[in-house]
Amino acid sequence: MSTAIAAHIDSAGQALSVARDLAQHFATGAAARDRDRKLPYKEIDHLSASGLLAITVPARFGGADLAPSVVAEVVRILATADPNIAQIPHSHFVYLNLLRLAAEPTQQRELFEDVLGGSRIANAQSERGGKTVAEIATTIRPHSGGLRLDGSKFYCTGSLYAHTLAVLTRLDDPEGKTGLPDGEYVAFIPADAAGVRIVDDWNGIGQRTTGSGTITFEGVSVRGDQLVARAKAVGAPSGYGAFAQLLHVAIDAGIARGALSAAVEFARTKSRAWFEAGVDKAIDDPLLIQRFGELAVEVTTAEATLTAAGTAVDATFNTPARGAAQAAAAASIAVATAKIVADRAANDVSSALFEVSGTRSAGADLGLDHFWRNARTHTLHDPVRWKYQHIGRALLHKSAPPTHGVI
């Protein structure tokens, strides 16, 4: 696993400019990579080298300390070109936020410095077993004077490209030998540590190159200074969950924009006019013009709600403690709203791409289906029906929405 020497980004404007340049580069071959499941190792190295993966490192550790709204816009821009690449650093940014909120200064310094140098973090969080996604069977327990990690994870997005794995685990220490408080921890361990086995078995219909397969941990040695108690981030109104969800929304909004752009290009250059329209060019068909207008409104609305949600999440990073709960609740509602809108836009527009482009667009060699497959797969991440519930309960009962989020 190579570590790219990362450039330094100082401002939001620079970050967005770099993201646009990379997106233009990543768009070339994106459909073919997705169709053939060609893993984007070179592209991810370019992403690391660009400095974008370090933009949330706090200023006191030498980073740009850019706001959540900027990170979301970077992710959205990348997703317009290749949603696979845009999703790969999702958990990287989420776990950097966990470090910011919950880690000890020495832990922060070590990992933030690694990231400034180009290192990448990936999640090992979800498990296939258990009644719900929230149940964790992976454990750390005392062993030979230290700690050992055992378990199995799936949906480990980005793990094939990672230098460090953030492993969600629970403490199994009924006799209190470790001296650690009971609860869930995130273990930050090298991806190539002894006892770690990363299996490239992700077979989803979309997001095919995200490296979201299985990782097994068998007797992995873990030091106490590699553990971060998760409760410090998820048990407080910190905006942790809203930030994680915001980046998912950005991916969906990016897919919608990418699909619309592809449809526009196809209609302009390849579509034939429908004979009943009485026009020479497809783009002069008034019904087609109407439909493109509708799709444009849907995409623009998704982007606008993403922007609003980003502003709300920004506030959770800047609000004094006395207003933290209110800010976190507002951010969760704003992100839930944006999730609903972006989910609909990503699926609707990626499907309508074929409707407005015509029969020719269904050619497998074109790979235009990757927008729909990626939208359909990524939006399954967490159900929007529960977003409506949180919004409705907050409105009618003044109930605070959950702030832990699902990443």
Side-chain angles (χ1 to χ4, degrees):
M1 179 67 63
S2 62
T3 303
I5 304 301
H8 186 74
I9 291 176
D10 297 309
S11 67
Q14 184 184 3
L16 299 181
S17 178
V18 170
R20 286 189 286 268
D21 289 343
L22 282 177
Q24 187 173 10
H25 174 64
F26 294 159
T28 302
R33 286 194 299 271
D34 192 88
R35 181 187 62 237
D36 301 332
R37 203 171 178 276
K38 182 181 179 182
L39 300 176
Y41 286 106
K42 290 191 300 182
E43 288 80 6
I44 297 304
D45 276 346
H46 289 157
L47 182 60
S48 288
S50 74
L52 284 177
L53 298 186
I55 59 176
T56 63
V57 172
R60 67 182 181 279
F61 295 105
D65 209 359
L66 298 184
S69 58
V70 178
V71 183
E73 182 60 9
V74 164
V75 170
R76 187 198 68 81
I77 291 169
L78 295 177
T80 64
D82 188 335
N84 291 271
I85 290 175
Q87 191 180 351
I88 289 165
H90 173 278
S91 56
H92 171 91
F93 286 118
V94 170
Y95 282 106
L96 289 183
N97 192 31
L98 180 94
L99 289 172
R100 180 185 69 87
L101 292 168
E104 298 297 326
T106 53
Q107 295 172 315
Q108 293 173 331
R109 182 169 299 282
E110 178 180 354
L111 287 166
F112 285 145
E113 286 182 354
D114 287 346
V115 169
L116 286 170
S119 184
R120 299 183 289 266
I121 299 172
N123 87 89
Q125 174 163 303
S126 294
E127 299 178 3
R128 279 181 152 171
K131 291 183 179 181
T132 74
V133 70
E135 293 186 15
I136 302 299
T138 300
T139 59
I140 47 170
R141 54 172 61 94
H143 178 73
S144 300
L147 296 164
R148 66 173 284 165
L149 170 69
D150 295 277
S152 180
K153 300 287 187 176
F154 193 60
Y155 305 112
C156 300
T157 300
S159 57
L160 294 177
Y161 317 98
H163 304 96
T164 299
L165 300 174
V167 188
L168 179 58
T169 181
R170 61 179 178 83
L171 180 65
D172 181 14
D173 182 21
E175 297 179 6
K177 293 180 180 179
T178 63
L180 294 171
D182 192 27
E184 293 182 347
Y185 289 81
V186 175
F188 289 86
I189 63 173
D192 59 357
V196 175
R197 182 168 176 255
I198 301 175
V199 183
D200 182 18
D201 60 351
W202 172 240
N203 65 350
I205 63 170
Q207 301 297 85
R208 290 175 171 176
T209 66
T210 54
S212 300
T214 299
I215 307 179
T216 56
F217 304 92
E218 185 174 354
V220 179
S221 295
V222 178
R223 304 189 312 271
D225 63 0
Q226 292 175 305
L227 298 178
V228 176
R230 190 167 181 254
K232 293 180 182 179
V234 301
S238 61
Y240 177 76
F243 174 67
Q245 287 291 317
L246 180 71
L247 301 189
H248 281 306
V249 175
I251 295 167
D252 295 339
I255 293 173
R257 175 60 68 181
L260 180 60
S261 297
V264 168
E265 177 64 18
F266 198 95
R268 284 175 172 170
T269 61
K270 296 184 177 64
S271 293
R272 293 189 295 178
W274 183 244
F275 70 95
E276 292 178 285
V279 296
D280 293 329
K281 297 180 179 179
I283 58 173
D284 292 328
D285 181 340
L287 297 182
L288 192 69
I289 292 171
Q290 173 75 19
R291 187 68 177 117
F292 267 102
E294 293 168 351
L295 297 175
V297 168
E298 196 165 359
V299 173
T300 303
T301 301
E303 292 169 345
T305 54
L306 171 65
T307 298
T311 300
V313 177
D314 287 352
T316 68
F317 280 47
N318 302 316
T319 301
R322 63 180 181 275
Q326 183 177 359
S332 292
I333 293 299
V335 172
T337 302
K339 168 65 175 171
I340 291 168
V341 176
D343 182 297
R344 183 185 302 125
N347 285 298
D348 286 356
V349 179
S350 61
S351 178
L353 186 162
F354 301 99
E355 169 201 336
V356 296
S357 299
T359 307
R360 290 181 176 181
S361 64
D365 59 313
L366 299 174
L368 292 176
D369 60 311
H370 84 281
F371 291 106
W372 181 84
R373 287 187 291 98
N374 288 331
R376 184 61 282 172
T377 302
H378 183 258
T379 55
L380 294 174
H381 190 272
D382 60 312
V384 294
R385 60 184 179 272
W386 276 98
K387 306 304 180 186
Y388 285 109
Q389 284 286 312
H390 300 324
I391 294 167
R393 289 172 180 176
L395 186 63
L396 294 174
H397 301 294
K398 299 186 184 300
S399 302
T403 58
H404 53 76
V406 176
I407 70 166

